[in-house]
Amino acid sequence: MTAIPLGVPRRLVEFTLDGQEARVPEGSTILDACRAAGKDVPTLCQGDTLTPKNACRVCVVEVEGARTLAPACSRRAEQGMVVRTDTERARHSRKVVLELLASSVDLSTTPSVAQWIKEYEAKPDRFGPDAARVDEEPRVDNDLYVRDYGKCILCYKCVDACGDQWQNSFAISVSGRGFDARIAVEHDGPLTDSACVYCGNCIEVCPTGALSFKSEFDMRAAGTWDEERQTATTTVCAYCGVGCNLTLHVQDNEIVKVTSPHDNPVTHGNLCIKGRFGYQHVQNRD
Ligand code: SF4
Ligand code: SF4
Ligand code: FES
């Protein structure tokens, strides 16, 4: 019989969300409540397995009585709070954030962003080509994953996943300050000279595709990457006794990438190099 952990019972917090009564367990964020109510609040730097960083501000909502807009991803719901997610002020702020991001980095592989740009009537070229933050070619220095910092929104999710929140390798960090801030490994060198252990947990959390599987990068370059033709099957990694869940993404009968379910209470979407990248033998037909 499978034991389902129930956790500690939590008091319910009652508040008003877009004019409707909402009840969420104490400690929930406004975003948790929005998702439970089926509301689509855009997020980029929020990670369901990471501590909120409040870096992108695309999720802002209006809280009655508050001077500034509140990030829904990190602001906890409080008893009696009155929250509005779709006011003119919140929508205008999201629009400008999307315009700033789209002007400064390449969002072509960011899921959902094209739909938000349309919904908020944002003009991606509003600040012109001079606003581009990074002008460099993707870094392809190993066979497993590619770093394309021209797509990086500096959300620091990869830093958290590589550092004290999950992997504890601390290979990825922020170098530089202000406008010169960028994600880098030690001495800004190749990944192969760094402390990276190739778990790929940074790719799992990157919201823009700035970090991507080499398999996906190569297929995109060849014009063969097609998510509509892919299936995802979750299975158990057979390499060792930990028993992590692997989700195999398959296109044309070939594994094209491996992710892991974030709601797994043991691994939370994290894997090691073998589970994430060690699938070539499956496809060896010789
Ligand atoms: S590489 Fe990805 S996860 Fe890391 S800071 Fe940039 S956008 Fe965020
Ligand atoms: S992903 Fe790594 S740690 Fe997890 S079961 Fe496979 S080999 Fe073991
Ligand atoms: S998603 Fe909330 S601040 Fe980025």
Side-chain angles (χ1 to χ4, degrees):
M1 193 178 77
T2 311
I4 299 172
L6 292 176
V8 182
R10 287 191 288 166
R11 199 167 62 95
L12 290 178
V13 171
E14 293 181 6
F15 70 109
T16 307
L17 184 61
D18 290 336
Q20 305 278 316
E21 189 182 296
R23 296 169 85 212
V24 288
E26 196 172 32
S28 303
T29 61
I30 294 173
L31 183 67
D32 293 331
C34 289
R35 288 186 172 162
K39 291 181 191 297
D40 183 23
V41 173
T43 57
L44 283 170
C45 73
Q46 186 263 349
D48 54 353
T49 61
L50 298 166
T51 306
K53 205 80 179 178
N54 300 330
C56 75
R57 299 274 156 166
V58 80
C59 68
V60 287
V61 295
E62 212 161 335
V63 176
E64 199 169 280
R67 188 174 51 85
T68 56
L69 293 168
C73 65
S74 58
R75 183 70 185 269
R76 292 193 196 283
E78 290 168 28
Q79 185 71 25
M81 200 180 223
V82 177
V83 178
R84 290 189 194 84
T85 66
D86 210 28
T87 60
E88 199 183 328
R89 190 176 167 210
R91 290 184 69 88
H92 180 72
S93 178
R94 287 178 204 156
K95 172 180 183 249
V96 175
V97 166
L98 289 167
E99 287 173 340
L100 285 166
L101 287 175
S103 301
S104 57
V105 298
D106 170 7
L107 296 180
S108 61
T109 53
T110 304
S112 305
V113 84
Q115 171 200 322
W116 296 332
I117 283 174
K118 199 164 160 210
E119 181 184 341
Y120 292 98
E121 296 176 355
K123 297 185 182 65
D125 52 358
R126 177 168 169 194
F127 298 100
D130 290 347
R133 209 177 54 76
V134 181
D135 182 18
E136 64 172 46
E137 290 300 306
R139 296 187 182 205
V140 189
D141 52 17
N142 67 91
D143 288 337
L144 301 184
Y145 82 94
V146 174
R147 299 174 292 158
D148 185 355
Y149 293 130
K151 294 178 174 173
C152 175
I153 60 166
L154 280 179
C155 68
Y156 300 174
K157 277 167 129 172
C158 55
V159 178
D160 289 344
C162 185
D164 62 353
Q165 289 191 27
W166 293 119
Q167 191 60 28
N168 283 293
S169 286
F170 299 95
I172 304 176
S173 190
V174 185
S175 79
R177 293 284 180 272
F179 286 113
D180 294 331
R182 53 182 294 123
I183 300 298
V185 296
E186 302 96 303
H187 308 295
D188 206 10
L191 210 58
T192 43
D193 289 352
S194 77
C196 175
V197 296
Y198 298 93
C199 61
N201 295 334
C202 54
I203 314 174
E204 183 83 44
V205 297
C206 180
T208 62
L211 306 176
S212 71
F213 294 88
K214 173 97 168 18
S215 50
E216 177 175 345
F217 180 83
D218 288 344
M219 287 175 75
R220 281 188 188 277
T224 55
W225 181 258
D226 185 354
E227 271 164 38
E228 299 208 335
R229 270 163 51 214
Q230 292 172 16
T231 55
T233 307
T234 298
T235 181
V236 180
C237 177
Y239 275 116
C240 85
V242 173
C244 303
N245 283 174
L246 310 179
T247 302
L248 308 177
H249 299 256
V250 175
Q251 181 178 324
D252 301 335
N253 223 16
E254 297 273 324
I255 299 171
V256 291
K257 70 175 182 181
V258 176
T259 59
S260 184
H262 291 199
D263 60 359
N264 184 300
V266 178
T267 53
H268 305 277
N270 297 307
L271 294 171
C272 77
I273 181 173
K274 291 182 284 182
R276 179 89 62 194
F277 295 110
Y279 54 79
Q280 288 74 11
H281 65 285
V282 178
Q283 290 163 190
N284 189 344
R285 315 269 190 240
D286 300 333

